[in-house]
């Protein structure tokens, strides 16, 4: 069976440079505005295609090493091309953040934007890793999204997916059971509430400061959101359907998002929190 273009994009998480403009680009600037001092080593966890690393290198000439840990080989390859001009100031490593391997140096700054929910429920592993890899006085800058959940633990992107699955013929009330049966945890379930997350972080860090804003997503048309979903979530949700239904599912995601924007003037809005953390001794 030949994959459609959108299925191929989802499989490789391609097109993230364009997709990130809808949400993550705002996080990147927000985080880097709060990097303290003149760091020598920065580690970005879930570094994707290297956008944050590139911006950090441009902003901070003091950086002698910018390290990216990323699971997707496709994104690492794209990051390698992007960051080639920076030579040996950059190190990229393929890594599973649910069980990261030790690095031979400590970081003045560790960043992680819009990643922690993907590590649920074993976040403690990466949090312990960060604590152990921070240099004395180093900072961990972390962003977390907090969509409102319903009684099934669905919210945020899950709501758009539910609309798309309903359009694909799944009874709306059956969507939670379908996701559970295919072992697809709703993103809103993966995202711990602020109070619960604060308690978890306190096991490893002191919270030096935090900021919060509303993350609003708008699109120019259904196709833009279709590609955003494929680049950001890959086939995470599409995997609950048979292969022959997946191309139409992505199109339905785009239509569902566009319908929401037509009704409300935006696709979605949710709180996002930026934490600045220091290692607990």
């Amino acid at each position: 069976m030949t994959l459609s273009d959108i299925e191929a994009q989802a499989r490789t998480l391609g097109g993230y440079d364009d997709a990130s403009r809808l949400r993550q680009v705002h996080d990147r600037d927000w985080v880097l505005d709060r990097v303290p001092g003149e760091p020598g080593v920065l580690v970005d966890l879930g570094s994707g295609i290297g956008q944050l690393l590139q911006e950090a290198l441009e902003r901070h000439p003091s950086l002698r090493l910018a390290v990216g840990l990323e699971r997707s080989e496709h994104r690492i390859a794209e990051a390698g091309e992007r960051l080639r001009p920076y030579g040996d100031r950059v190190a990229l490593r393929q890594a599973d953040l649910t069980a990261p391997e030790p690095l031979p140096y400590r970081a003045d700054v560790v960043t992680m934007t819009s990643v922690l929910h993907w590590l649920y429920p074993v976040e403690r592993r990466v949090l312990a890793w960060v604590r152990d890899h921070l240099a004395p006085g180093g900072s961990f800058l972390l962003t977390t999204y907090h969509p409102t959940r319903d009684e099934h633990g669905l919210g945020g992107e899950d709501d758009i997916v539910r609309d798309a699955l309903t359009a694909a013929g799944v009874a709306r009330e059956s969507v939670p059971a379908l996701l559970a049966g295919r072992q697809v945890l709703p993103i809103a379930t993966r995202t711990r509430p602020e109070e619960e997350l604060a308690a978890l972080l306190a096991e490893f860090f002191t919270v030096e400061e935090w900021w919060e804003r509303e993350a609003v997503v708008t699109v120019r048309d259904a196709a833009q959101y279709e590609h955003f979903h494929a680049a950001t979530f890959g086939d995470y949700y599409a995997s609950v359907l048979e292969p022959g239904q997946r191309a139409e599912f992505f199109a339905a995601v785009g239509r569902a998002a566009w319908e929401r924007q037509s009704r409300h003037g935006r696709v979605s809005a949710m709180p996002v929190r930026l934490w600045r953390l220091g290692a607990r001794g």
Side-chain angles (χ1 to χ4, degrees):
M1 177 180 174
T2 303
L3 292 180
S4 66
D5 290 344
I6 194 69
E7 289 174 286
Q9 180 190 358
R11 182 165 293 186
T12 63
L13 298 172
Y16 191 73
D17 196 3
D18 291 332
S20 67
R21 301 177 199 279
L22 295 184
R23 184 179 291 159
Q24 282 80 2
V25 67
H26 306 294
D27 280 2
R28 183 170 71 242
D29 293 338
W30 197 30
V31 166
L32 290 176
D33 285 345
R34 288 162 175 79
V35 170
E38 297 183 353
V41 177
L42 180 146
V43 176
D44 187 30
L45 302 178
S47 53
I49 61 174
Q51 295 156 303
L52 185 145
L53 293 174
Q54 181 180 31
E55 181 65 21
L57 287 160
E58 291 294 324
R59 289 190 183 210
H60 296 283
S62 61
L63 279 176
R64 62 182 184 274
L65 187 60
V67 182
L69 273 62
E70 169 60 42
R71 184 169 188 168
S72 166
E73 61 180 318
H74 300 283
R75 287 182 172 176
I76 288 175
E78 190 171 345
E81 290 301 314
R82 175 186 297 273
L83 298 170
R84 189 180 303 279
Y86 301 93
D88 60 8
R89 295 175 68 201
V90 174
L92 300 174
R93 294 174 179 247
Q94 189 168 13
D96 178 359
L97 295 181
T98 64
E101 296 181 359
L103 295 180
Y105 34 74
R106 291 195 171 190
D108 302 298
V109 181
V110 175
T111 56
M112 184 159 64
T113 59
S114 304
V115 171
L116 191 64
H117 54 277
W118 288 112
L119 309 181
Y120 177 91
V122 295
E123 303 100 320
R124 283 180 175 83
R125 297 176 187 171
V126 76
L127 296 177
W129 186 98
V130 173
R131 177 198 60 197
D132 295 343
H133 283 79
L134 276 179
S139 295
F140 179 28
L141 294 168
L142 168 71
T143 65
T144 56
Y145 282 79
H146 299 279
T148 301
R149 303 178 184 182
D150 67 11
E151 67 275 20
H152 303 292
L154 277 67
E157 191 70 15
D158 308 317
D159 290 333
I160 296 169
V161 166
R162 177 160 43 192
D163 289 347
L165 289 172
T166 301
V170 178
R172 189 172 186 82
E173 64 275 12
S174 300
V175 170
L178 174 63
L179 295 176
R182 298 298 176 91
Q183 298 183 322
V184 173
L185 276 177
I187 294 298
T189 297
R190 286 180 168 275
T191 305
R192 296 180 188 268
E194 293 93 328
E195 297 78 8
E196 183 180 335
L197 180 57
L200 177 61
L201 293 173
E203 296 179 25
F204 304 92
F205 306 99
T206 58
V207 178
E208 297 175 350
E209 205 166 358
W210 60 266
W211 304 265
E212 195 165 273
R213 65 178 178 84
E214 187 178 51
V216 178
V217 172
T218 61
V219 291
R220 61 177 177 266
D221 53 30
Q224 186 183 26
Y225 200 87
E226 178 182 357
H227 289 286
F228 164 78
H229 180 94
T232 304
F233 299 96
D235 54 10
Y236 181 71
Y237 290 105
S239 65
V240 306
L241 296 172
E242 296 302 318
Q245 299 176 285
R246 293 176 187 173
E248 174 54 30
F249 165 76
F250 287 112
V253 165
R255 290 193 298 269
W258 184 244
E259 287 170 6
R260 285 171 175 265
Q261 181 160 315
S262 299
R263 291 197 307 269
H264 305 298
R266 59 193 183 185
V267 176
S268 64
M270 69 183 74
V272 56
R273 182 171 291 195
L274 168 58
W275 313 75
R276 185 158 63 201
L277 308 161
R280 185 176 293 279

